[in-house]
């Protein structure tokens, strides 16, 4: 027997929780299916915990639109829900003269996205704010911040459940079928079951494509390829030399090995870019040499032996290593022809910052 529900959200990461909250607050019955035993156990808990400003993304892209709107919504949400954050700003540094035009480009790109508060900084001004940093020029992003990402997800979960959402943990999606009267989703776990829903939102993060591939009736050509881009982090021992994130100019597949500082003051370096074939969160100690070389360009005082392997995360990319970065892909019925189905592909950075804006977009798409 198949039980019928109004709406299924697949995945209890930060975006799935935000979507479930938005849909439940609009008055719909929501069931969240999560294969792990806790919320946000993968990409949502393995990142830099930075509230991004919206600097890097192409004008009129979903990433730019959602990041800028999501940042404003997130600060307001955190204020209203008691979620800890620090709007500390961040500094983007050029470490040689040839990188200064890239800072110019970033400032213009940010302004095109509606981020008009970037400030030029001289090396002396940077030294005054962050004495350990070397640069030849820099940009200050005052609207960037850091937050307690787990506290944020707990607040989203609390709102969703208060609005009637039920989260079924240890309930992996094993298959499904598009039917005339809705979409059937088959679940595994200790108590296998099937649910039929009028509305299914596939927000499974790293697994969105594989989930879509198991649902009979979703056109295969609408499912983008999956590429895993691993980002490793190293932690710094000793007294923290920084008070805010420090970013180099960006590289092709990421934003470069940067400094992040959590709310407790712990300093991390990362993420780097490591394309992998499978999901593996081990951090290879041998990558330390590349970290030392990258970090010393802007933190020359980094001593040998000062960093240790920390943790890693996987970016759910939908472009190959040699291809240009792709935007978020949010498919509704107009894209795949299936009423009541929404697929969220390639929701990588700035996914957390964008989460409330993505949720609002999905709610309107419904």
């Amino acid at each position: 027997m198949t039980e019928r529900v109004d709406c299924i959200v697949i995945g209890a990461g930060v975006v799935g929780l935000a979507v479930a909250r938005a849909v439940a607050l609009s008055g719909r019955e929501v069931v969240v299916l999560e294969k792990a035993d806790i919320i946000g156990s993968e990409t949502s808990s393995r990142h830099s915990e930075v509230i991004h400003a919206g600097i890097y993304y192409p004008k009129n892209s979903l990433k730019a639109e959602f990041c800028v709107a999501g940042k404003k919504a997130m600060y307001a949400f955190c204020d209203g829900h008691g979620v800890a954050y620090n709007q500390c700003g961040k500094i983007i540094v050029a470490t040689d003269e040839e990188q200064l035009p890239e800072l110019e480009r970033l400032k213009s790109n940010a302004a095109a996205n509606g981020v008009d508060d970037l400030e030029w900084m001289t090396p002396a001004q940077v030294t005054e704010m962050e004495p350990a940093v070397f640069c030849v020029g820099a940009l200050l992003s005052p609207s960037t911040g850091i937050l307690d990402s787990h506290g944020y997800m707990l607040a989203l979960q609390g709102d969703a459940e208060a609005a009637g959402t039920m989260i079924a943990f240890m309930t992996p999606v094993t298959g499904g079928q598009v039917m005339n009267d809705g979409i059937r989703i088959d679940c595994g776990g200790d108590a296998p079951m099937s649910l039929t829903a009028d509305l299914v939102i596939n927000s499974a993060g790293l697994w969105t494509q594989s989930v879509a591939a198991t649902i009979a009736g979703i056109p295969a050509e609408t499912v983008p390829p999956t590429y895993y881009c691993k980002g490793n982090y190293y932690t710094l021992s000793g007294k923290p030399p920084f008070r805010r994130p420090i970013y180099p100019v960006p590289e092709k597949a990421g934003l470069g090995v940067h400094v992040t500082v959590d709310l407790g003051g712990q300093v991390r370096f990362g993420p780097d870019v490591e394309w992998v074939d499978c999901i593996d969160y081990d951090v290879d100690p041998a990558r330390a040499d590349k970290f030392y070389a990258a970090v010393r360009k802007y933190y020359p005082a980094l001593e040998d032996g000062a960093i240790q392997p920390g943790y890693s995360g996987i970016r759910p990319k939908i472009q190959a290593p040699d291809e240009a970065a792709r935007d978020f892909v949010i498919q509704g019925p107009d894209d795949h022809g299936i009423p009541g189905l929404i697929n969220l592909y390639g929701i990588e950075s700035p996914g957390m910052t964008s989460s409330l804006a993505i949720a609002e977009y999905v709610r309107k798409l419904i």
Side-chain angles (χ1 to χ4, degrees):
M1 181 176 176
T2 300
E3 186 177 341
R4 190 166 194 94
V5 297
D6 186 11
C7 172
I8 293 171
V9 175
I10 302 171
V14 65
V15 173
L17 291 170
V19 168
R21 170 185 177 270
V23 176
L25 288 172
S26 72
R28 302 190 73 139
E29 172 201 21
V30 180
V31 174
V32 179
L33 304 177
E34 170 54 52
K35 67 183 182 65
D37 59 352
I38 56 173
I39 60 172
S41 63
E42 292 187 300
T43 308
S44 297
S45 59
R46 295 175 170 274
H47 54 81
S48 300
E49 292 192 302
V50 171
I51 302 174
H52 292 288
I55 296 168
Y56 304 96
Y57 317 108
K59 181 181 178 181
N60 297 325
S61 65
L62 293 180
K63 287 183 177 180
E65 176 188 343
F66 293 161
C67 186
V68 173
K71 170 188 64 177
K72 296 175 183 176
M74 176 173 281
Y75 281 130
F77 180 93
C78 290
D79 284 336
H81 290 74
V83 177
Y85 71 90
N86 180 9
Q87 190 177 329
C88 52
K90 81 172 180 184
I91 301 174
I92 309 170
V93 298
T95 55
D96 64 58
E97 298 287 335
E98 292 181 355
Q99 293 178 338
L100 291 174
E102 178 63 11
L103 290 185
E104 292 268 13
R105 189 194 69 77
L106 286 177
K107 192 171 189 300
S108 297
N109 194 78
N113 291 342
V115 183
D116 55 5
D117 59 353
L118 298 192
E119 304 170 18
W120 283 108
M121 299 184 74
T122 65
Q125 289 171 322
V126 173
T127 299
E128 187 174 344
M129 290 182 70
E130 295 287 354
V133 174
F134 166 79
C135 69
V136 298
L139 289 171
L140 174 66
S141 170
S143 65
T144 299
I146 54 176
L147 90 162
D148 172 6
S149 59
H150 186 64
Y152 173 60
M153 288 190 286
L154 285 173
L156 292 173
Q157 179 185 4
D159 274 5
E161 290 180 334
T165 296
M166 188 194 80
I167 303 179
F169 293 105
M170 304 294 288
T171 307
V173 173
T174 58
Q177 183 175 1
V178 177
M179 303 165 67
N180 292 330
D181 62 342
I183 301 168
R184 191 192 76 241
I185 299 296
D186 302 325
C187 306
D190 292 338
M193 62 177 178
S194 294
L195 300 173
T196 299
D198 298 318
L199 177 63
V200 172
I201 301 163
N202 180 8
S203 181
L206 294 167
W207 311 98
T208 301
Q209 285 93 320
S210 58
V211 166
T214 68
I215 300 174
I218 295 181
E221 65 273 13
T222 67
V223 181
T226 304
Y227 301 97
Y228 297 141
C229 183
K230 187 175 181 179
N232 300 279
Y233 291 85
Y234 277 71
T235 58
L236 178 68
S237 59
K239 184 179 178 181
F242 311 103
R243 289 178 291 181
R244 58 185 52 79
I246 310 295
Y247 279 54
V249 295
E251 54 188 57
K252 185 175 181 180
L255 300 182
V257 175
H258 52 258
V259 175
T260 58
V261 183
D262 66 21
L263 292 172
Q266 173 70 50
V267 171
R268 302 176 295 237
F269 296 110
D272 61 353
V273 173
E274 180 187 3
W275 294 92
V276 295
D277 295 326
C278 60
I279 294 174
D280 171 14
Y281 293 117
D282 291 338
V283 178
D284 182 1
R287 299 184 74 81
D289 289 345
K290 292 182 179 179
F291 271 73
Y292 281 110
V295 171
R296 281 173 174 155
K297 291 178 182 179
Y298 57 83
Y299 177 38
L302 179 63
E303 297 180 356
D304 287 342
I307 63 174
Q308 300 81 37
Y311 64 95
S312 70
I314 307 286
R315 308 172 182 97
K317 299 280 189 181
I318 52 178
Q319 79 272 358
D322 57 349
E323 294 177 342
R326 289 189 62 186
D327 201 4
F328 295 151
V329 173
I330 301 179
Q331 292 180 349
D334 288 347
D335 302 296
H336 48 57
I338 301 169
L341 175 67
I342 299 173
N343 289 314
L344 284 71
Y345 297 116
I347 310 296
E348 51 156 337
S349 181
M352 183 187 69
T353 304
S354 302
S355 53
L356 291 171
I358 292 172
E360 180 63 14
Y361 181 88
V362 170
R363 187 189 67 79
K364 291 179 178 177
L365 196 59
I366 294 168

